[in-house]
Amino acid sequence: MAAYDVVIVGGGPGGLNAALYLGRGRKRVLLCDAGTPRNAAAEHMHGFGSRDGIPPPEFRRISREQLKAYPNVEVRDTRVGSVEKHEGGFRVALGDGTTVDARRLLLAMGVVDVMADIPGYKELWGPSIFQCPYCHGWEVQDQPFAMLAKNPQYLDGAPIIQNWSRDLIVFTHGAFEVPPEQRERLQALGIPLEERKIRALHGKDGRLSEVELEDGTRIARSVMFSAPPQRQHELVTRLGLELDDLGYVKAGPTGETSVPGIVAVGDMTTPMQAAIAAASAGTIAAAMMNHALILEDADRRYTQVTGKPAPSRQKGH
């Protein structure tokens, strides 16, 4: 049975950067990529220095190509199935039918976006329905915007979206009563509010053209910003990882979770979701994981040489 220092679950920016750092740290790494990236519908990836505007598949191709310089890093296109705790780490069953052992697990799977139950929404998600204005707002600035608010809290984000286009209409889809103070604020800022339900979104070749309301009224819009509900992948539940009040995996500054030996990084841990943020989190978690593994091995060698338990280390080291 193959044995690795770290099995990484997820082949996006977080997992790829973690593999790079661990590889450079001379650890034996297996990166498992199920081939279902969260940004699969996005045409371009923005806000990542030196890679601004790159198509996500090209980013992954370049990152994988650079990992080939490290023979201690292996990449497999497969899912991770069951994970069992065993002496010295974890036993991981993979979708390709093999089983491997790992001293640590690093999760970088992202989250699952739950598409709104509106005809046309899923088809337009990515090309003209966006979640993040920093990722996609520049390219569509000053076009006719729609914003889909799923609860009163999201109305507070309307002035932020308005930064990229003054031609903004907020749609509530009849989901909630608009508080009077928020209604007044939107009106004062010149942001129209549409509270009728949406019957369908219309467009061609992935490009939004009209929002059709329940009474048949059609409103011309070119772009929609929407933050759909998100859920964790099933593996998170199977591993028993603790979640916070918003449904994200509880992770410390270096990715540590409620299960010893498992760290989590990127979108699955925070609402601050961006490719460069996930890559940064993967880098930090990988470096700290590498340090822990090195010191663990050093303690073992010390005990073998001296026959004594390894002395405790000073805090901060």
Side-chain angles (χ1 to χ4, degrees):
M1 183 180 299
Y4 298 88
D5 292 304
V6 182
V7 167
I8 298 173
V9 187
L16 288 164
N17 241 63
L20 178 62
Y21 245 62
L22 286 163
R24 293 182 62 79
R26 305 188 70 182
K27 293 297 170 285
R28 190 173 184 209
V29 178
L30 173 62
L31 184 149
C32 299
D33 186 351
T36 55
R38 183 179 169 222
N39 63 356
E43 296 175 328
H44 302 95
M45 194 175 87
H46 292 283
F48 201 120
S50 81
R51 291 292 182 266
D52 190 46
I54 191 171
E58 180 66 6
F59 175 86
R60 291 190 291 274
R61 186 196 66 77
I62 293 172
S63 298
R64 282 190 175 205
E65 187 67 28
Q66 292 181 343
L67 286 178
K68 291 179 180 178
Y70 307 94
N72 48 319
V73 176
E74 180 182 351
V75 178
R76 293 194 203 178
D77 294 313
T78 185
R79 292 184 177 276
V80 168
S82 64
V83 176
E84 297 179 2
K85 185 77 175 175
H86 80 112
E87 185 179 357
F90 303 90
R91 184 148 291 162
V92 184
L94 305 179
D96 61 10
T98 61
T99 301
V100 301
D101 283 346
R103 296 167 67 186
R104 300 285 195 277
L105 289 182
L106 191 152
L107 307 180
M109 300 179 293
V111 288
V112 178
D113 295 303
V114 181
M115 299 290 98
D117 188 20
I118 300 173
Y121 186 100
K122 184 176 181 180
E123 292 76 13
L124 295 167
W125 175 257
S128 54
I129 299 181
F130 310 120
Q131 180 180 18
C132 173
Y134 290 97
C135 297
H136 303 288
W138 176 266
E139 285 69 33
V140 295
Q141 59 184 296
D142 298 326
Q143 294 185 31
F145 278 15
M147 174 183 164
L148 182 60
K150 59 186 179 183
N151 59 45
Q153 179 183 353
Y154 279 81
L155 296 177
D156 293 334
I160 296 174
I161 300 298
Q162 192 185 36
N163 175 73
W164 282 268
S165 177
R166 293 288 180 176
D167 186 359
L168 170 65
I169 300 175
V170 173
F171 295 80
T172 68
H173 191 37
F176 57 90
E177 288 290 330
V178 178
E181 62 275 13
Q182 287 181 304
R183 186 185 302 277
E184 182 182 9
R185 184 167 186 252
L186 291 175
Q187 184 176 6
L189 294 173
I191 302 175
L193 186 63
E194 178 52 68
E195 299 175 74
R196 287 172 287 182
K197 285 188 175 183
I198 298 173
R199 177 184 291 172
L201 302 176
H202 298 281
K204 185 178 181 181
D205 298 327
R207 304 301 169 188
L208 176 66
S209 59
E210 294 178 319
V211 178
E212 182 182 359
L213 303 177
E214 57 186 341
D215 62 1
T217 300
R218 293 196 177 203
I219 301 175
R221 297 286 93 184
S222 300
V223 173
M224 173 176 281
F225 282 91
S226 169
Q230 298 175 332
R231 63 172 176 82
Q232 297 289 340
H233 287 273
E234 293 178 2
L235 182 60
V236 171
T237 302
R238 294 201 299 270
L239 291 172
L241 301 182
E242 187 177 353
L243 307 181
D244 64 20
D245 293 340
L246 297 177
Y248 297 105
V249 174
K250 277 190 175 182
T254 59
E256 61 272 20
T257 70
S258 58
V259 177
I262 300 179
V263 304
V265 302
D267 295 358
M268 64 190 300
T269 68
T270 175
M272 180 57 189
Q273 299 172 349
I276 196 165
S280 174
T283 298
I284 294 169
M288 294 303 100
M289 181 179 284
N290 192 46
H291 292 175
L293 290 168
I294 292 170
L295 293 174
E296 187 178 287
D297 291 340
D299 288 347
R300 185 180 298 110
R301 294 200 311 272
Y302 176 89
T303 299
Q304 290 172 347
V305 171
T306 66
K308 298 185 297 185
S312 59
R313 290 182 289 276
Q314 296 296 312
K315 290 184 178 179
H317 294 272

